[in-house]
């Protein structure tokens, strides 16, 4: 069994994520290769594609969403992602148990059990009835989420309509309107409209997420994030018991070991780049794939630096890579792109990073780059 160093795993990840060298592939091809792009805030997927694709323009992604080739919806780990329409219809049934698990958390169940003592209305709702009611209110058309929430609250006094609408969105495939996934101001958008996926895309999702679907998801994951362990693909997808699936995949997977002897898997025909391949400076968006694709993230970021990037409240800050690893964060305010390293950089690394930041400026609407010489602290 081949033993892989941390650097070998790093270079493999960067290569498969198009961060070792930008690609000439189309944005649709790249989104398909990456499986899904985290998209809580609409601007960040655009930045992620800019860092991966030669000559990428914002209009290219906007057109894919408008043309219904790419959709934004709750998917991996019950969070908002951009994915190709075909992949969404295939993956959503497989991942539905993860979303149902989230919808079954106390945040949602307490609301469904709420009762308005003043009116004695609003006895507990069951999940199936709530979904049926939500779909009936949508009627196969696009409706602002706040309007769906208002109508549900009117029908069920004593229950928070926003939470009811959120549970409907988790329990049945709804997609967001193109405006929600378009380039705009920096910050989460509250004006979201939703449409049943089948009505929006003109075809239904797969009937179920069976074992073959799970195998295909593992293959797709390894093509974008491998080599990796079972815990890694489970952390990325939110699914559990995938070790049982991996055990049935036989010779199509090869086994290797990582630092410390951890068992890893990879596609049998996957190539690994030379660990000594130079890695260019790159600026990554908030919530980028490479930071969220593994349970063990030491191939891309040091454990001591994770609190600087993931400071709590489900935030994952924009970061930059130097020699393939996260070495600091960046921010954009009033047109100024500020680079904040965790530790002082060499003159050559600093120059390469600033050059990449200047290349990004026109894309993000910035006018200047500054370098914070005070290392970031937790």
């Amino acid at each position: 069994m081949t033993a892989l160093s941390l650097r070998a795993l790093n270079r493999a990840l960067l290569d498969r994520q198009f961060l070792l060298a930008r690609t000439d592939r189309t944005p649709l091809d790249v989104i398909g290769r990456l499986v899904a792009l985290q998209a809580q805030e609409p601007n960040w997927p655009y930045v992620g594609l800019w860092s991966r694709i030669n000559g990428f323009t914002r209009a290219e992604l906007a057109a894919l969403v408008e043309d219904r080739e790419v959709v934004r919806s709750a998917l991996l780990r019950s969070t908002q992602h951009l994915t190709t329409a075909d992949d969404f219809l295939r993956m959503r049934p497989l991942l539905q148990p993860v979303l149902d698990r989230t919808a079954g958390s106390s945040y949602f169940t307490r609301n469904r059990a709420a009762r308005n003592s003043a009116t004695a209305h609003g006895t507990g709702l069951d999940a199936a009835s709530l979904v049926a009611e939500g779909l009936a209110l949508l009627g196969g058309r696009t409706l602002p989420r706040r309007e769906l929430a208002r109508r549900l609250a009117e029908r069920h006094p004593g229950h928070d309509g926003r939470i009811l609408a959120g549970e409907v969105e988790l329990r049945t495939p709804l997609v967001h309107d193109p405006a929600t996934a378009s380039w705009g101001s920096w910050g989460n958008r509250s004006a979201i409209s939703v449409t049943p996926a089948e009505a929006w895309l003109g075809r239904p999702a797969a009937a179920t997420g069976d074992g073959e679907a799970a195998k295909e998801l593992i293959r797709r994951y390894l093509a974008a994030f491998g080599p990796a362990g079972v815990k890694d693909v489970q952390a990325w997808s939110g699914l559990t018991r995938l070790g049982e699936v991996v055990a049935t995949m036989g010779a199509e997977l090869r086994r290797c070991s990582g630092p410390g002897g951890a068992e890893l898997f990879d596609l049998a025909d996957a190539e690994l780049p030379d660990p000594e391949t130079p890695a260019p400076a790159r600026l990554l968006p908030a919530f980028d794939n490479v930071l969220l694709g593994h349970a063990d993230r030491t191939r891309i970021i040091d454990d001591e630096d994770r609190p600087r990037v993931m400071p709590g409240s489900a935030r994952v800050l924009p970061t930059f890579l130097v020699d393939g690893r996260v070495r600091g964060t960046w921010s954009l305010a009033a047109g100024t792109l500020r680079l904040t390293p965790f530790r002082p950089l060499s003159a050559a690394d600093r120059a390469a990073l600033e050059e990449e930041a200047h290349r990004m400026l026109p894309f993000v609407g910035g006018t200047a780059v500054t370098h914070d010489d005070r290392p970031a602290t937790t």
Side-chain angles (χ1 to χ4, degrees):
M1 188 162 54
T2 304
L4 299 175
S5 67
L6 202 60
R7 187 178 179 89
L9 292 174
N10 173 268
R11 292 310 193 253
L13 175 62
L14 296 181
D15 185 47
R16 297 180 194 193
Q17 289 279 322
F18 304 111
L19 292 169
L20 206 53
R22 282 185 169 91
T23 181
D24 290 324
R25 295 190 188 192
T26 68
L28 187 64
D29 285 345
V30 170
I31 294 170
R33 169 63 176 267
L34 302 180
V35 188
L37 296 177
Q38 195 99 5
Q40 282 97 321
E41 200 279 343
N43 285 355
W44 292 124
Y46 289 82
V47 175
L49 292 175
W50 179 88
S51 291
R52 290 170 165 88
I53 302 174
N54 284 316
F56 172 74
T57 65
R58 299 198 297 263
E60 291 177 281
L61 179 54
L64 290 173
V65 179
E66 288 284 352
D67 294 341
R68 309 188 187 196
E69 294 185 80
V70 168
V71 296
R72 182 179 190 250
S73 182
L75 198 63
L76 299 165
R77 305 180 302 279
S78 302
T79 55
Q80 302 300 329
H81 280 76
L82 280 182
T83 190
T84 70
D86 289 343
D87 280 346
F88 177 78
L89 293 174
R90 281 194 295 263
M91 290 193 299
R92 178 64 188 246
L94 177 64
L95 296 168
Q96 189 58 53
V98 180
L99 287 94
D100 287 341
R101 189 167 66 232
T102 301
S105 67
S106 61
Y107 175 77
F108 293 99
T109 56
R110 278 200 306 263
N111 182 59
R112 273 197 286 110
R115 182 180 177 86
N116 187 322
S117 59
T119 62
H121 292 303
T123 54
L125 297 166
D126 67 88
S129 297
L130 174 63
V131 170
E133 193 168 89
L135 289 174
L137 289 171
L138 286 165
R141 67 188 189 279
T142 300
L143 196 69
R145 184 196 279 166
R146 60 173 173 253
E147 178 63 14
L148 176 62
R150 185 187 69 78
R151 295 185 185 187
L152 287 170
E154 283 181 348
R155 291 185 172 214
H156 302 286
H159 301 267
D160 188 322
R162 294 169 301 173
I163 300 177
L164 293 177
E167 184 171 353
V168 171
E169 191 171 343
L170 285 169
R171 291 192 181 276
T172 192
L174 305 182
V175 298
H176 294 180
D177 65 317
T180 306
S182 63
W183 181 270
S185 60
W186 297 92
N188 290 318
R189 298 193 178 172
S190 57
I192 293 174
S193 294
V194 293
T195 311
E198 182 173 352
W200 182 255
L201 298 174
R203 57 196 193 279
T208 59
D210 57 17
E212 285 304 313
K215 289 181 184 179
E216 180 59 22
L217 187 70
I218 291 168
R219 295 184 194 105
R220 296 283 300 280
Y221 169 80
L222 291 174
F225 295 92
V230 171
K231 289 182 179 180
D232 293 316
V233 65
Q234 291 183 161
W236 168 79
S237 65
L239 293 168
T240 59
R241 303 184 68 176
L242 292 182
E244 299 172 9
V245 181
V246 168
T248 69
M249 296 179 72
E252 68 174 295
L253 301 181
R254 68 170 181 254
R255 287 163 171 75
C256 49
S257 63
E263 184 178 39
L264 306 178
F265 300 87
D266 202 5
L267 299 175
D269 58 353
E271 297 183 1
L272 297 175
D274 184 338
E276 299 308 313
T277 303
R282 288 288 184 261
L283 276 72
L284 303 180
F287 304 101
D288 193 84
N289 283 19
V290 295
L291 296 179
L292 300 174
H294 301 85
D296 179 359
R297 298 168 184 171
T298 54
R299 70 186 65 197
I300 190 74
I301 185 172
D302 295 339
D303 283 338
E304 64 185 287
D305 292 332
R306 282 182 62 171
R308 298 181 171 102
V309 174
M310 304 165 191
S313 302
R315 291 182 298 158
V316 182
L317 302 181
T319 58
F320 60 77
L321 303 179
V322 172
D323 191 26
R325 299 187 63 78
V326 174
R327 296 302 187 198
T329 61
W330 64 275
S331 59
L332 182 69
T336 297
L337 194 160
R338 180 177 296 277
L339 302 165
T340 306
F342 298 146
R343 299 164 197 86
L345 303 174
S346 71
D349 287 340
R350 173 172 171 150
L353 178 62
E354 291 185 356
E355 182 179 353
E356 178 73 356
H358 278 286
R359 279 195 290 266
M360 180 183 275
L361 276 183
F363 187 85
V364 297
T367 56
V369 173
T370 63
H371 190 107
D372 193 339
D373 289 312
R374 296 169 298 172
T377 59
T378 56

